[in-house]
Amino acid sequence: MAESQKASEIRERARAWRDIMLQMTATIMIPLTIAGMGLYYTRWQQNVNDLKTMIDLVSDDKPERQKYGIAMFEYLLKNDKVPVEFVAAQLDYANNASDPQLLGAMERALTKAAQSNANVQAVFKEAVDRLPSRVFVNVLNEQQRACFSKLLTGLKDSDGAAITVPSISLAKWDGKVNEIRAMNDDDVPKAEAIANWLRNIGFDINVVNLTNVWSGARQVRPNTFEIWFGDKDLPPICTGKQAALPPT
């Protein structure tokens, strides 16, 4: 009987110690949890404020404030503080800004940040994939320049909205065919899509992948393409002539 009472006392003491330990743990953890939540909220609020400051600076009309904004953009990118949605929005803003230098400056900031933070490259690619494909056009003469302008008006609204053409420039080369050039492997399917839109309105064009051909291709922003007019007859949409029928 005495042994049973002793065992019961031991169990009671053990239960009392467990209760004390639970109370002590709760007493310690509750303040830590509150402190942790406060720190998280403080950091979150700081990140929001940093993003707002960066956006205000980048969109400022004064070049010196824009420069500080772009530097802040690069810093925040390096420290994983710019969500992909903000990157896409900033690139879209720069793509349509009146300052033609802004987009290039932001792309350089992204490229520099990607060199020290591998995550930035994935964010960069996802962001630019949300933008219209950027197509730089190179022509041999003014007739080809006017021709491409007609080709653009001939695209469907959905196709035309999917690309933007920053420039149509005169450039000499010895190509005989028209080419659309992709700068990396992942962009080849989009190059094929653009080529097919143009083929459907009568413009014969080949797709060329420069990934392993030109070392500078890796420095070009994703979702960027070049169209080069070759020394070839203009399509019927540009000349007003009917396409020749195949022999029967």
Side-chain angles (χ1 to χ4, degrees):
M1 182 71 178
E3 291 181 0
S4 176
Q5 185 176 0
K6 186 177 181 180
S8 178
E9 290 175 355
I10 292 172
R11 286 195 296 272
E12 286 297 327
R13 284 197 296 268
R15 185 180 299 112
W17 275 110
R18 284 198 300 270
D19 291 344
I20 291 171
M21 292 300 295
L22 286 171
Q23 290 174 6
M24 290 177 64
T25 301
T27 301
I28 295 170
M29 290 304 297
I30 289 173
L32 287 176
T33 301
I34 293 172
M37 291 177 64
L39 180 61
Y40 172 81
Y41 177 77
T42 300
R43 288 182 176 175
W44 176 82
Q45 186 64 47
Q46 184 61 50
N47 287 346
V48 171
N49 291 339
D50 288 344
L51 288 170
K52 184 178 184 303
T53 300
M54 179 268 293
I55 292 170
D56 289 343
L57 288 170
V58 168
S59 57
D60 198 282
D61 291 335
K62 297 178 180 178
E64 62 272 18
R65 287 178 61 82
Q66 277 191 0
K67 185 163 72 171
Y68 283 119
I70 292 166
M72 190 173 183
F73 181 58
E74 182 181 336
Y75 169 80
L76 294 174
L77 283 166
K78 288 179 179 178
N79 290 277
D80 290 322
K81 293 184 177 181
V82 188
V84 63
E85 292 80 9
F86 278 85
V87 176
Q90 287 301 103
L91 288 176
D92 185 49
Y93 170 79
N95 199 39
N96 296 286
S98 57
D99 181 2
Q101 307 300 321
L102 181 57
L103 180 60
M106 298 199 72
E107 289 176 351
R108 286 191 293 275
L110 277 158
T111 301
K112 288 179 182 178
Q115 292 171 355
S116 60
N117 185 343
N119 294 333
V120 176
Q121 188 60 41
V123 170
F124 191 10
K125 184 178 186 310
E126 184 178 348
V128 297
D129 279 345
R130 302 182 184 192
L131 299 176
S133 298
R134 187 171 59 169
V135 183
F136 292 89
V137 181
N138 298 280
V139 296
L140 296 172
N141 51 54
E142 291 299 332
Q143 290 77 19
Q144 290 181 345
R145 188 200 299 271
C147 177
F148 192 78
S149 296
K150 279 192 175 181
L151 291 171
L152 283 177
T153 60
L155 291 176
K156 298 176 184 177
D157 290 341
S158 57
D159 297 341
I163 66 172
T164 181
V165 180
S167 66
I168 303 176
S169 305
L170 289 171
K172 297 295 183 182
W173 70 302
D174 57 0
K176 299 300 180 184
V177 298
N178 306 313
E179 294 181 356
I180 179 168
R181 300 174 180 178
M183 304 301 158
N184 62 75
D185 293 329
D186 291 341
D187 284 338
V188 171
K190 281 195 175 182
E192 292 283 1
I194 297 171
N196 284 332
W197 299 338
L198 294 170
R199 290 169 187 147
N200 287 338
I201 54 176
F203 186 62
D204 189 21
I205 189 167
N206 296 338
V207 175
V208 176
N209 183 0
L210 295 184
T211 303
N212 299 316
V213 177
W214 177 42
S215 61
R218 65 177 64 94
Q219 304 297 327
V220 178
R221 191 199 85 176
N223 202 18
T224 297
F225 307 90
E226 292 181 353
I227 287 179
W228 288 77
F229 273 68
D231 186 15
K232 190 172 185 177
D233 290 341
L234 297 178
I237 192 174
C238 296
T239 62
K241 299 177 182 177
Q242 293 292 327
L245 297 174
T248 57

